[in-house]
């Protein structure tokens, strides 16, 4: 029996699904006594370090947890569940962690690499353990802005490090107490196997220097003692992979079925009818098996109706998360709403329902444009926007901004106040300058906001990633709009997903080589089976671009 310590923030549904999928039964910790009564305890920390510790304090869980850990009983922490084992974190100064492991968790420094560290990376394994045995060449899904560092004082705990700029602690184990910075429940079959080893007890006794967690006195002594040399297995740096994302534009067709559709420059109708390219749950499952690193659903007509009334869409998410174990993003209609009976819902209510149904990230389109217009008028954010509220509660990494820009050509930069680029693709009247106008409601309306301003402001408000479409390129198959993508990529330090226009595998290499984006997304070529995901990854690998093995799907 597995006990789950879920304090109700973020998407724990995937972890529940993963545990059930692996054939284990699960009970929830509902009161402090349940912790000491647990046989095996799993702690998927979610959200910010301080919020997690406050919640544990409020619930009276801190002392029983410390006691459980001090007794060296089976424990598995995930992400913040690893970080809270340390003494504290720069994320929440003054908040004490569980302090089982010496050291402070620190933010990734600003620099060439985007923060959060979001995507698939490897493990450099230090000790021979059953938990991570044979995973040297595998990749796992990480998403975090803070990380624990390996020091001489905590070296006895460190199982593996991962490199992102510099190296950080990606897994720890001492006796039956273990934790990982990555998300095994989002890391495909390889991640599920790591989870299974904990759940089954196979990982318990396998550490070469298998020891119980030290009692506080021993711990104090240990803090002062010289570090023992780690049993280093490899000194090859781990390599962060570029992500390939399959996107499913979903809407109800004219006969009332929820279908995956695909537009040409956002027009999804052919001979008057909505194109039907398949069923959302089946297609998502297929892309998981074919090696997609992430799946995105866009509810493309959600701007018309109240999205929480759209139960089939929520059902799609619930069913997909039962057997798709890579990150899921959902977009469409995330904004405040008043229903026909006058009941008001906040964007947080809408997002919360998506997270509870299995989404790891939500994507905000039209509402981001009005937010930027408001911020312009006010001079700064006032905490009331969907972006700020969702990022505050669920973390920046959970908020993606979906941008739907189209080119607006001008004769010279003086002809507009927007951020203009000089373009190598001249306009209809020979113009050699353009700006990228953000549209709303699925490209139906323009705005006075340009894509660069939008990306910058949303990053400031707390967004964790930009999904950058292009109406000009959508469905054309002629390649990504490299000028647009390079301009937005260089304007922000959060990850950017290039989208729209992929036609052949080489387009993916090109967008990574020429713009430095972290991920590339495609729809049409995958839906029509013109280019399998595996072929894209083979091309990328041949061009020297790091990717996760395409056949890792399960
Ligand atoms: O504005 O918050 O309700 O969100 C609506 C979301 O729906 C936005 O993310 C918007 O991009 C999306 N959307 C709205 N209408 C359409 C449409 O196509 N009529 N789809 C639409 C956007 C673009 C990509 C597409 C890529 C790759 N689709 O998702 O998958 O362009 O396509 P390709 O590889 O075939 O070229 P809100």
């Amino acid at each position: 029996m597995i006990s789950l310590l879920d304090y109700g923030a973020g998407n724990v549904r995937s972890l529940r699904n993963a545990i059930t999928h692996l054939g284990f039964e699960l009970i929830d910790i509902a009161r402090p006594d349940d912790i000491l009564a647990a046989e095996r305890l799993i702690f998927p920390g979610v959200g910010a370090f301080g919020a997690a510790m406050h919640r544990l304090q409020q619930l009276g869980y801190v002392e029983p947890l410390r006691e459980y850990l001090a007794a060296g009983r089976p424990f598995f922490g995930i992400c913040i569940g690893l970080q809270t084992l340390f003494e504290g974190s720069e994320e929440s100064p003054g908040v004490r962690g569980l302090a089982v492991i010496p050291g402070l968790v620190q933010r990734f420094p600003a620099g060439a690499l985007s923060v959060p560290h979001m995507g698939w990376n490897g493990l450099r394994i230090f000790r021979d353990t059953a938990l991570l045995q044979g995973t040297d060449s595998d990749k796992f899904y990480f998403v975090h802005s803070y990380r624990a560092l390996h020091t001489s004082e905590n070296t006895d705990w460190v199982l593996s490090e991962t490199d992102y700029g510099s190296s950080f602690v990606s897994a720890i184990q001492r006796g039956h107490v273990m934790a990982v910075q990555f998300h095994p429940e989002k890391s495909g079959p390889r991640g599920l196997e790591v989870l299974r080893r904990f759940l089954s007890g196979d990982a318990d006794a396998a550490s070469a220097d298998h020891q119980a967690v030290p009692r506080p006195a021993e711990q104090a002594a240990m803090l002062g003692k010289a570090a023992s040399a780690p049993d280093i297995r490899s000194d090859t740096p781990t390599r962060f992979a570029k992500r390939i994302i399959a996107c499913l534009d979903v809407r109800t067709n004219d006969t009332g079925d929820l279908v995956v559709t695909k537009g040409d420059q956002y027009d999804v109708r052919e001979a008057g009818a909505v194109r039907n390219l398949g069923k959302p749950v089946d297609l998502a499952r297929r892309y998981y098996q074919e090696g997609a690193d992430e799946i995105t659903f866009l509810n493309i007509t959600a701007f018309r109706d109240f999205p929480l009334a759209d139960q089939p869409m929520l059902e799609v998410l619930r069913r997909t998360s039962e057997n798709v174990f890579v990150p899921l993003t959902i977009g469409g209609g995330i904004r405040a709403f008043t229903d026909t009976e006058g009941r008001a819902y906040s964007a947080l209510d809408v997002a919360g329902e998506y997270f509870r149904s299995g989404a790891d990230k939500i994507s905000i389109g039209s509402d981001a444009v009005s937010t930027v217009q408001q911020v312009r008028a006010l001079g700064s954010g006032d905490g009331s926007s969907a972006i700020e509220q969702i990022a505050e509660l669920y973390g920046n990494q959970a908020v993606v901004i979906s941008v739907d820009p189209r080119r607006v050509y001008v004769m010279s930069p003086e002809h507009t106040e927007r951020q203009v680029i000089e373009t190598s693709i001249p306009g209809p009247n020979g113009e050699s300058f353009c700006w990228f106008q953000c549209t709303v409601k699925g490209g139906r309306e323009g705005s006075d906001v340009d894509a660069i301003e939008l990306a910058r402001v949303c990053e400031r408000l707390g967004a964790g990633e930009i999904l950058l479409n292009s109406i000009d390129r959508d469905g054309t198959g002629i390649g990504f709009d490299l000028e647009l993508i390079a301009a937005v990529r260089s304007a922000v330090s959060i990850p950017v997903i290039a989208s729209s226009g992929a036609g052949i595998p080489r387009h993916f290499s090109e967008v990574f080589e020429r713009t430095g984006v972290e991920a590339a997304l495609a729809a049409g070529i995958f839906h029509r089976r013109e280019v399998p995901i595996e072929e894209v990854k083979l091309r990328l690998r041949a061009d020297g671009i790091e990717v996760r093995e395409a056949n890792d799907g399960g």
Side-chain angles (χ1 to χ4, degrees):
M1 184 64 81
I2 310 300
S3 297
L4 181 72
L5 206 170
D6 171 10
Y7 50 80
N11 173 19
V12 179
R13 177 180 279 266
S14 309
L15 180 63
R16 291 176 186 278
N17 286 341
I19 295 170
T20 313
H21 178 87
L22 290 165
F24 293 86
E25 275 184 64
L26 191 67
I27 47 169
D28 279 285
I29 298 288
R31 59 187 76 80
D33 290 350
D34 293 346
I35 293 179
L36 290 169
E39 286 169 29
R40 310 189 76 74
L41 184 59
I42 188 156
F43 179 30
V46 181
F49 184 95
M53 285 309 303
H54 283 140
R55 197 76 191 114
L56 293 179
Q57 288 284 7
Q58 266 172 359
L59 294 165
Y61 289 174
V62 170
E63 284 318 313
L65 253 182
R66 284 216 177 98
E67 203 178 322
Y68 184 93
L69 290 161
R73 299 184 41 204
F75 174 92
F76 192 75
I78 299 175
C79 194
I80 290 284
L82 175 142
Q83 297 186 5
T84 49
L85 295 176
F86 286 79
E87 293 166 294
S89 169
E90 266 183 18
E91 185 174 18
S92 312
V95 178
R96 186 158 169 78
L98 294 167
V100 172
I101 306 180
L104 276 188
V105 175
Q106 295 174 21
R107 192 176 162 84
F108 281 107
L113 293 167
S114 59
V115 180
H117 169 226
M118 187 189 289
W120 299 75
N121 207 332
L123 308 178
R124 196 172 51 256
I125 296 172
F126 274 70
R127 293 178 206 286
D128 195 9
T129 70
L131 185 70
L132 299 180
Q133 208 162 46
T135 59
D136 307 63
S137 53
D138 296 338
K139 292 201 191 300
F140 298 89
Y141 184 76
F142 290 82
V143 50
H144 56 128
S145 301
Y146 294 80
R147 82 288 195 232
L149 299 178
H150 186 170
T151 65
S152 58
E153 276 144 7
N154 61 31
T155 195
D156 292 345
W157 284 91
V158 178
L159 263 197
S160 74
E161 283 187 344
T162 292
D163 299 298
Y164 190 68
S166 55
S167 60
F168 64 88
V169 176
S170 47
I172 62 97
Q173 182 173 8
R174 219 161 182 210
H176 299 180
V177 174
M178 33 203 127
V180 293
Q181 179 60 63
F182 58 87
H183 287 266
E185 78 284 12
K186 289 282 140 197
S187 298
R190 308 293 162 96
L192 293 184
E193 174 55 17
V194 170
L195 192 58
R196 191 202 61 75
R197 291 176 188 177
F198 167 75
L199 299 173
S200 64
D202 286 359
D204 285 355
S207 174
D209 56 353
H210 175 213
Q211 305 166 48
V213 178
R215 301 258 164 200
E218 290 168 51
Q219 210 172 322
M222 199 182 84
L223 285 173
K225 91 172 186 195
S228 54
D231 173 18
I232 298 177
R233 300 282 152 197
S234 154
D235 53 8
T236 313
T238 65
R239 298 191 65 194
F240 186 57
K242 298 290 187 186
R243 285 173 282 152
I244 300 299
I245 302 175
C247 182
L248 288 75
D249 290 357
V250 180
R251 63 162 287 170
T252 308
N253 68 8
D254 302 325
T255 50
D257 300 319
L258 203 59
V259 297
V260 174
T261 190
K262 182 66 211 95
D264 290 326
Q265 300 183 307
Y266 285 34
D267 180 1
V268 298
R269 287 182 183 271
E270 195 165 62
V274 172
R275 279 197 195 104
N276 177 352
L277 292 162
K279 294 186 180 156
V281 178
D282 296 349
L283 266 188
R285 172 90 186 138
R286 187 187 116 201
Y287 294 139
Y288 172 58
Q289 287 169 335
E290 290 177 359
D293 299 316
E294 241 175 88
I295 309 243
T296 295
F297 293 103
L298 297 175
N299 186 353
I300 68 169
T301 50
F303 65 87
R304 291 187 192 144
D305 310 307
F306 179 40
L308 292 191
D310 200 349
Q311 289 301 321
M313 196 63 212
L314 293 170
E315 192 54 26
V316 161
L317 257 182
R318 290 187 197 113
R319 286 185 39 220
T320 301
S321 69
E322 278 167 20
N323 50 26
V324 171
F325 297 105
V326 291
L328 300 176
T329 300
I330 177 135
I334 297 184
R335 65 193 157 95
F337 211 93
T338 304
D339 70 13
T340 45
E341 274 137 43
R343 258 193 309 264
Y345 296 83
S346 69
L348 256 184
D349 295 330
V350 181
E353 199 54 38
Y354 280 148
F355 288 126
R356 281 187 289 279
S357 301
D360 299 287
K361 311 187 231 181
I362 52 87
S363 125
I364 303 177
S366 307
D367 192 64
V369 177
S370 13
T371 297
V372 170
Q373 287 164 331
Q374 280 157 19
V375 168
R376 231 192 239 159
L378 293 172
S380 67
D382 62 0
S384 67
S385 69
I387 301 170
E388 291 159 294
Q389 291 186 356
I390 300 169
E392 165 83 20
L393 193 64
Y394 294 96
N396 310 61
Q397 81 294 333
V399 182
V400 183
I401 304 302
S402 170
V403 196
D404 298 315
R406 64 158 54 95
R407 283 175 174 246
V408 177
Y409 282 95
V410 286
M411 274 303 175
S412 91
E414 291 79 54
H415 290 159
T416 172
E417 286 171 12
R418 314 273 74 91
Q419 306 248 358
V420 167
I421 64 150
E422 188 165 4
T423 174
S424 61
I425 309 161
N429 304 309
E431 300 95 330
S432 50
F433 296 92
C434 74
W435 63 282
F436 297 99
Q437 180 193 46
C438 292
T439 64
V440 296
K441 300 185 179 174
R444 286 166 185 80
E445 288 175 22
S447 79
D448 61 352
V449 177
D450 72 68
I452 295 170
E453 179 187 13
L454 183 97
R456 278 202 183 117
V457 174
C458 292
E459 176 180 28
R460 234 175 33 234
L461 294 176
E465 193 172 31
I466 305 288
L467 161 51
L468 185 56
N469 302 299
S470 153
I471 298 186
D472 307 293
R473 295 299 174 102
D474 176 60
T476 62
I478 61 171
F480 297 95
D481 188 334
L482 300 175
E483 292 179 339
L484 160 69
I485 295 163
V488 172
R489 179 72 206 87
S490 60
V492 292
S493 60
I494 52 178
V496 173
I497 303 167
S499 164
S500 305
I504 53 171
R506 180 66 204 145
H507 289 152
F508 292 85
S509 303
E510 196 174 68
V511 79
F512 289 130
E513 287 163 356
R514 305 225 344 236
T515 71
V517 282
E518 287 72 15
L521 171 152
I525 55 168
F526 296 152
H527 301 334
R528 296 187 299 268
R529 293 184 184 271
E530 287 164 12
V531 180
I533 292 170
E534 188 173 10
E535 205 178 308
V536 172
K537 291 199 170 180
L538 281 173
R539 176 76 259 162
L540 289 169
R541 208 168 289 117
D543 290 335
I545 296 166
E546 187 72 12
V547 284
R548 178 178 76 112
E549 291 285 331
N551 61 3
D552 265 1

